[in-house]
Amino acid sequence: MVSSSFRVTLLKLGLPENRLVVLEGKGGVVEGEFEGIRYVRFRDSARGFRRGTVVFENGDVVLGFPHIKRVVQLERGIKRVFKNKPFYVEEKVDGYNVRVVKVKDRVLALTRGGFVCPFTTERILDFINEEFFKDYPNLVLAGEMAGPESPYIVEGPPYVKEDIEFFLFDIQEKGTGRSLPVGERYKLAEEYGIRHVETFGLYDRSKIEELHELIERLSRERREGIVMKTPDMKRIAKYVTPYANINDIKIGSHIFFDLPHGYFMGRIKRLAFYLAERHIKGEEFDEYAKALGKALLRPFVESIHEVANGGEVEEVFTVRVKNISTAHRMVTHFERLGVKIHIEDIEDLGNGYWRITFKRVYPDATREMRELWNGRAF
Ligand code: ATP
């Protein structure tokens, strides 16, 4: 149940009472709290409140970050999505999505699901100049947190060598969720010194060969892909490199039983469309086939051996925090997500930061493998 003060706020914002009651009934709106700041997050979408929308006590609304359509046949995809219109091409940075917003006097980082993330919130002002929010309290900075020391993602992009960084890719208005035009965003990023995802300039359908070359280069450089956006941000589409498809499979197959089959199928499909569109043949085709097979099988087989030898399927990750209490809050935060992690190690880096090592165990995947290894018939 949502408390009465929030009911009033939500009704005032235009959510019909009967819709609210249904949502509450199925846990579609949930109340949360972060250091005395109360909020509700939408687990489902309802009447203009996209999934992941957060409403604060003072009536501030941060809409959920919208889904971006994916194309798997690049040439035909851009023709369908953009027709003859030009579009900006930006790097798709591999990390986790955050929306950064100032509510009352606090700058908060929201996850895709609409939680205030204790880790990202503690670190965010290391990357974003707070002046921005003094000048634009009504804007939301959406970006990717990426790097090797991340609580949600196993690997980061190759050019973030340590820790984690913020990469801006969208600026939206509170309340409406409307995006600023690309040009304005580039200007603000520059003006306030906010690191932006790499931009590759304006393209259109006629530049398809250059776009293919860009994808090939990004793939060689172990980067995830591109996001294409019309200058007014009305049409957006993403395309992922063959490298990222295979690498995701490699990361996922380690915890094979914990992921839906669609995780693997989707990536195999995207790779197949890449190979078909680029007419990859002969030795190059064989290399992709081998890389895919290895990505799918090697970490999976290694996990089986681990469990067969009495171990567990697990992942270890580190993050840098300013206060050890933030690490404990992350444990609680993951618990709310239904995930069990524990702190393995705390190291004083001597520069005001602590490096925390967490371990995440996958009990379901471990159990499943153990039973199959022990001969369960099915
Ligand atoms: P979606 O919700 O779009 O269906 P998803 O949650 O599975 O997809 P991805 O397929 O990884 O996510 O792609 C979308 C995400 O890519 C965005 O939510 C954003 O976090 C991230 N991203 C990285 N770089 C960019 C960029 N330049 N522009 C937009 N999004 C970007």
Side-chain angles (χ1 to χ4, degrees), residues 67-68 70 90-93 97 112 144 229 238:
H67 163 68
I68 298 175
R70 181 189 303 281
E90 298 176 356
E91 179 176 2
K92 183 176 194 299
V93 173
N97 182 299
R112 195 83 196 273
E144 201 79 348
K229 310 170 177 183
K238 63 191 176 199

Side-chain angles (χ1 to χ4, degrees), residues 19 42 49 63 76 91 127 132 148 164 228 244 248 271-272 293 305 339 354 356 365:
R19 198 71 190 88
F42 282 68
F49 295 86
L63 285 193
R76 302 230 159 93
E91 179 176 2
F127 312 108
F132 176 85
I164 196 159
M228 298 161 279
D248 281 359
L271 182 64
H305 280 146
V339 170
W354 302 85
I356 314 287

Side-chain angles (χ1 to χ4, degrees), residues 12 49 131 142 146 179 192 215 227 233 261 283 295 327 361 376:
K12 256 202 233 156
F49 295 86
E131 284 301 310
S179 293
Y192 289 88
I215 293 294
V227 183
M233 293 291 284
H261 292 176
E283 222 172 276
V361 179
R376 189 182 81 201

Side-chain angles (χ1 to χ4, degrees), residues 173-301:
E173 273 174 15
K174 276 183 188 165
T176 64
R178 229 181 357 243
S179 293
L180 295 194
V182 176
E184 280 184 41
R185 163 165 41 98
Y186 290 177
K187 244 192 274 153
L188 286 173
E190 166 104 41
E191 199 180 322
Y192 289 88
I194 302 169
R195 185 159 184 187
H196 196 281
V197 299
E198 189 170 341
T199 56
F200 302 111
L202 264 182
Y203 285 68
D204 62 37
R205 262 171 75 180
S206 69
K207 288 200 186 161
I208 183 67
E209 266 322 303
E210 279 114 303
L211 214 46
H212 281 311
E213 276 163 27
L214 174 63
I215 293 294
E216 257 127 60
R217 172 165 75 83
L218 292 177
S219 200
R220 275 197 309 277
E221 293 174 357
R222 305 172 160 253
R223 291 156 83 174
E224 197 192 14
I226 56 172
V227 183
M228 298 161 279
K229 310 170 177 183
T230 51
D232 61 5
M233 293 291 284
K234 295 270 190 289
R235 286 165 187 267
I236 306 184
K238 63 191 176 199
Y239 183 85
V240 166
T241 59
Y243 162 78
N245 288 322
I246 293 177
N247 197 51
D248 281 359
I249 289 173
K250 186 159 102 197
I251 291 168
S253 81
H254 168 68
I255 51 163
F256 189 86
F257 289 108
D258 228 74
L259 290 167
H261 292 176
Y263 175 91
F264 298 100
M265 299 307 271
R267 286 163 173 88
I268 294 170
K269 174 181 78 184
R270 292 173 213 161
L271 182 64
F273 272 90
Y274 171 81
L275 298 175
E277 181 174 2
R278 302 306 290 144
H279 297 279
I280 308 288
K281 294 197 232 8
E283 222 172 276
E284 200 184 349
F285 184 93
D286 291 347
E287 269 172 34
Y288 274 113
K290 189 167 166 191
L292 171 64
K294 265 190 167 167
L296 201 47
L297 288 173
R298 192 188 267 165
F300 192 2
V301 172

